[in-house]
Amino acid sequence: MTPHSLAFYLDVIASGTVLGAGPTDSPDQVTAILGTEFAENTHGSGSMWRDYGMVEFFWQRESRRHPWQDHHFTVQVHRLSWGGSVVNRVIRERYGRFGRHLPFAKLERLAAARGVRLEDVPNPNAPTHTLHWQPASRVSVLTCRSPVPGVRGRGGARRGDVHTLSSSMTAEQVALYRSLHGGRDARRGRPAGS
């Protein structure tokens, strides 16, 4: 993996945006930044997301008469293991080539070197995944710890690979996860102290 692609992930985690496009931007604002190459998906008239390859932005609205409101974005890092061209052209032109795997340990170490701290958060996906959070940017990082039993995924996700980066995880959500799942070791998904 080139240093440039690592810089992309670090920029997302530190800024809470993708090339400056944030979770509060409208569909038109995001498209102005990421380009017109996207697949648009809707669920009824109340939710929409645009798939820019590895990056997806989501919006919602009360009805067709209301404007789209921000919701979140997700960087689907796991798609890289499938191979092919999943990185948006605008991102690729800025950051270069992307490797098929992003080891969380490497990402966490580089983030810490930049002064960007990731907190462990207990989560309902343990023990197959761990969850980490950057409080200032409100970006979460979901990491594969082991394969889901009985499910063989496309590609070759490995133990310790980053699965997704997502915005915007609030302090209230983190507090809820800690109250519901706080008795588990965030890295192993086992009861604390075992």
Side-chain angles (χ1 to χ4, degrees):
M1 184 176 311
T2 67
H4 299 292
S5 63
L6 286 169
F8 168 74
Y9 301 120
L10 294 170
D11 289 348
V12 170
I13 291 169
S15 71
T17 69
V18 176
L19 296 177
T24 60
D25 290 334
S26 71
D28 290 341
Q29 290 170 313
V30 172
T31 296
I33 293 169
L34 294 181
T36 58
E37 296 174 19
F38 60 82
E40 185 171 289
N41 306 278
T42 59
H43 187 310
S45 63
S47 66
M48 173 180 70
W49 68 99
R50 289 186 176 168
D51 182 340
Y52 294 88
M54 184 173 68
V55 177
E56 296 177 335
F57 274 80
F58 297 79
W59 297 273
Q60 59 189 13
R61 64 183 177 186
E62 288 183 41
S63 73
R64 293 183 193 276
R65 295 187 313 265
H66 292 87
W68 290 110
Q69 299 294 314
D70 60 301
H71 197 267
H72 73 283
F73 69 78
T74 300
V75 179
Q76 304 281 1
V77 181
H78 64 96
R79 289 182 182 170
L80 292 167
S81 68
W82 301 353
S85 181
V86 298
V87 178
N88 171 280
R89 177 187 53 79
V90 176
I91 295 170
R92 195 173 53 251
E93 287 174 358
R94 170 114 179 243
Y95 290 96
R97 188 176 57 81
F98 282 68
R100 287 188 176 207
H101 300 277
L102 174 60
F104 175 72
K106 185 175 196 175
L107 180 68
E108 184 178 40
R109 186 174 58 253
L110 291 170
R114 276 193 178 188
V116 178
R117 184 176 53 87
L118 292 167
E119 296 180 10
D120 292 342
V121 178
N123 75 92
N125 299 307
T128 59
H129 292 81
T130 59
L131 185 63
H132 317 276
W133 180 59
Q134 207 303 305
S137 67
R138 302 186 335 164
V139 169
S140 63
V141 180
L142 187 66
T143 302
C144 300
R145 298 306 298 164
S146 63
V148 177
V151 176
R152 183 172 174 87
R154 292 171 58 189
R158 299 182 297 205
R159 180 180 172 93
D161 279 356
V162 172
H163 189 263
T164 57
L165 307 177
S166 297
S167 75
S168 294
M169 180 176 259
T170 65
E172 292 78 17
Q173 288 171 297
V174 171
L176 178 63
Y177 276 14
R178 286 184 173 144
S179 71
L180 294 174
H181 311 289
R184 294 185 170 270
D185 179 304
R187 299 246 181 203
R188 292 181 185 82
R190 295 184 290 203
S194 65

